[in-house]
Amino acid sequence: MASSRFAKICVIGAGTMGSGIAAQVANAGIDVLLLDVAGEDGARNAAADRALHRIAKSNPPLLMRPDNIERITAGNIEDDLERIAGCDWVVEAVVERLDVKRALYRDMVEHLKPDAIVSSNTSTIPIKLLMKAMPKALRQRFCITHFFNPVRYMRLLELVAGSDTDPDVIDAMADFCDRRLGKGVVRCADTPGFLGNRVGVFALQAAIHEATELGVKIEEADALFGRPMGIPKTGAFGLYDLIGLDLMADVVRSLRAILPAGDPFHEVGGENELINFLAAQGFTGNKGKGGFYRRQDGQRLALDLQAARWRPRMKATPELAAIGEAEGLGALAKGDDRLSRFCWRVLARVLTYAASLVPSVTDNPQDIDDAMKLGYNWVRGPFEMIDELGMRPFAARLKREGWPVPAYLEAGGAVYRVRGRKLTVRRGDGAYRAVDLPDGVVRFHMTRRTLKPVAGNDGASLFHLDGGVRLVEFHTKANALDAECMAMVRAAADDPGPGILIHNDAQHFSAGVNLERFLEFIEAKDWKGIDRFLADFQDAVLALATCKAPVVGAPSGLAIGGGYEVLAHCDKVVAHSNTVLGLVECAVGLVPGGGGVKETYRRWRARTGSWEEAAWKTFSHIGANRTGSSPDLAAELAYFAPDRDEQVMNRDRLVEAGLAALAQMGEGYRRPRRPKFKLAGGETFAAMVEHLERGEADGRLLPHDVTVGRALARIVTGGAGAKPTEAGEADLFAAEREAFVALARTAQTKERIEGLMKRGETVRN
Ligand code: NAI
């Protein structure tokens, strides 16, 4: 495989991006040399050392396990530059200044291995300028690798070749960054801002510009240019705060400087005096004194754009809720009120801007869609949005209202079309060609368009893939599991074909069982309803565990609570390496009721050989809501089993790896024997209760934590006075349900669930 070519890597520039890249290389199991400028005598590596410190402390963590830091060696460019002689790839991520970058390349040349690849992480400097004074041999091995921040979590990598870059170098980089660093690689031309920032920054500017023009409040703007449009809920103003107002102002300035005069960017990307003023006063966003949003004396404030003053942050209005709930983009932009007009004008600007880049910047609209989905976490790319609106009606409205209509939109029809069993996309020349993805990459949200579900409901769909494998896809909000989702799990288990893959391409595999449903049960005092729900859930996961074909769960994002319980009943988990795994029910005053306690207990017994120890591990990990923010860390909690499960760096390769695992297990598959248990008994229960009471006495635990802890302890021990006894799977399931229902009946659990669902707050009681 081409990636073995990269045994050692050097990153130069240990700032935000360099440290992120170094951490991800270390996550891939590769040694990295991280260089920055030299410090004073005695602290020559101070800058790179500080980066190591930041990496170690980062949150969300840049490292998949803390000891990956040992793969990174700090150094400085004065004392250690010759050490790049041992490196196969040198990534430059120093300040965005052409003179600094060029001087560095000049100093590096003599030390480089003859076949080492060199790349720059520049966001704005054209590659032809970077390569200008380089010897030809280096120009052939030079490219731009444009990562996004934070590197571990942002999926996009834009790869740009220069006129002399050897195509093999680009292919090797693309393959390595895809398979080993887990990136979705989009190959871009050497044009300003490439694709992600060209469209992404434009979109932010368009939203800010229109909100200002139309007198739309920033909360309103973010509520619309957010979830309803399939854009992360930070919207435009929230994202400015997150990135930093000063940094964003610089990005906008540099794009303005490099984009040609007629580019529509200039209509929305002018100097913004309000933003400059805020940044100058230290209101740079979350990293400073706050920005568009901030807190003062416990009060949440939002900036009034017109008055240039903060005011109390507005709660959701009925008007907003109504428009936000409008089904589909078309409905969002339809009305003639201020908010609908905002939606329409932003969409009109962003979508026509994206369309205007075809074919001059890229011939393939899919590249722009990919860049926005992978680099900005949009659910749909601009061209997928155009398809949703309908190209013809969209273009007709643009014309009617006097907007310029890019040539690409004049043709009508659809951008994407399914031909045969293939998804095709209309390129700049008007021809439909198959979507372009590397071998083995499957983004199920695209593949699903070529398939017809064999069964489905509001919660999930069941597909038969080529070769007959069943794929269960959850598709509720945050993939919260409800009875409908579990009905599809059950349907797959009842007729499993050669195997079942449980996978979806949403941000989160599943954030757990749908708590809103439980709250309804609780409000109706329908305790039987809860018990029935849990029993059905348990039946469905047991059907998975006992079905006659292998089952693989292939999660990414959050796979917690009920989501984890589904995985715990699969034969094998093939997880993306950023997956968060664990059981968090106790936080809302409940215990896992879908086999989570049972499976955790079983796993710890297998690991420790002792039921007593397994009971304590189960009690303490579940009781403290511990999750692992990577499969490696989840393995320490026994939520992931490295000897059986598998992790994959690129989430676009989960389906490939999942199918391979199913094929491998399918030969001579024998369903695992059902486990037998032994409850740890009353003495252990008493010790656990004592532990809880001590926790309450010294203030670590609150009264309801103790109640929940006791309920949990009872499941694995049998409770007060119990003898250590044998138990079957059904007994453990029944004990989970009983504990769950008893807790659901308490006022404190209701308070906790209400706090989370209605106010997004963690209630401590
Ligand atoms: P930064 O300011 O956080 O870090 C730059 C680092 O380079 C500093 O630690 C500085 O001491 C070091 N440095 C300066 N001159 C050097 C030299 N001659 N040799 C070695 N180290 C030197 O900057 P950041 O944000 O990490 O950006 C780095 C590059 O990545 C820039 O080209 C930027 O345009 C690009 N980029 C930045 C993104 C972001 O979100 N911050 C996203 C994508 C690309």
Side-chain angles (χ1 to χ4, degrees), residues 533-572:
F533 179 97
L534 294 176
D536 286 347
F537 192 107
Q538 295 176 344
D539 276 351
V541 292
L542 188 62
L544 272 189
T546 54
C547 86
K548 51 184 188 283
V551 181
V552 167
S556 55
L558 294 179
I560 55 174
Y564 172 73
E565 289 177 307
V566 171
L567 296 175
H569 291 83
C570 296
D571 293 289
K572 181 180 173 109

Side-chain angles (χ1 to χ4, degrees), residues 102-237:
R102 272 206 195 142
L104 179 64
Y105 304 150
R106 202 181 49 228
D107 295 344
M108 276 166 42
V109 171
E110 60 169 312
H111 303 295
L112 285 168
K113 278 212 298 207
D115 62 348
I117 296 175
V118 177
S119 73
S120 172
N121 194 54
T122 181
S123 325
T124 52
I125 306 177
I127 195 166
K128 56 179 175 297
L129 295 183
L130 294 172
M131 303 209 318
K132 208 158 177 192
M134 267 180 204
K136 170 122 194 211
L138 181 54
R139 288 209 303 260
Q140 291 170 337
R141 293 179 279 120
F142 185 83
C143 58
I144 289 175
T145 45
H146 184 235
F147 288 89
F148 281 64
N149 184 35
V151 178
R152 174 176 168 194
Y153 297 96
M154 298 307 294
R155 296 162 67 195
L156 181 59
L157 172 74
E158 294 179 316
L159 192 56
V160 184
S163 51
D164 293 327
T165 315
D166 184 340
D168 289 346
V169 163
I170 292 294
D171 289 344
M173 269 328 307
D175 188 63
F176 174 76
C177 292
D178 164 338
R179 291 176 191 273
R180 300 293 301 276
L181 301 187
K183 297 299 144 198
V185 178
V186 173
R187 299 178 190 215
C188 299
D190 188 20
T191 57
F194 314 123
L195 294 175
N197 286 345
R198 179 84 177 262
V199 177
V201 178
F202 179 89
L204 292 181
Q205 294 308 114
I208 291 177
H209 176 84
E210 293 300 341
T212 311
E213 292 284 300
L214 295 168
V216 170
K217 298 189 176 73
I218 67 171
E219 303 95 309
E220 293 172 329
D222 286 350
L224 296 168
F225 181 80
R227 286 271 160 77
M229 291 196 192
I231 290 170
K233 67 172 188 231
T234 42
F237 296 98

Side-chain angles (χ1 to χ4, degrees), residues 383 385-398 405-416 426 432:
F383 290 90
M385 295 192 195
I386 290 171
D387 274 350
E388 191 185 320
L389 291 169
M391 196 184 300
R392 223 177 274 281
F394 177 57
R397 180 163 175 196
L398 289 172
V405 182
Y408 184 87
L409 296 181
E410 294 279 9
V415 182
Y416 293 91
R426 200 179 79 210
Y432 283 90

Side-chain angles (χ1 to χ4, degrees), residues 24 51 219 248 259 515 564 567 596 628 723 726 740 743:
Q24 187 67 356
E219 303 95 309
M248 276 309 301
L259 285 167
L515 280 178
Y564 172 73
L567 296 175
K723 293 240 153 42
E726 309 264 313
F740 191 111
L743 290 168

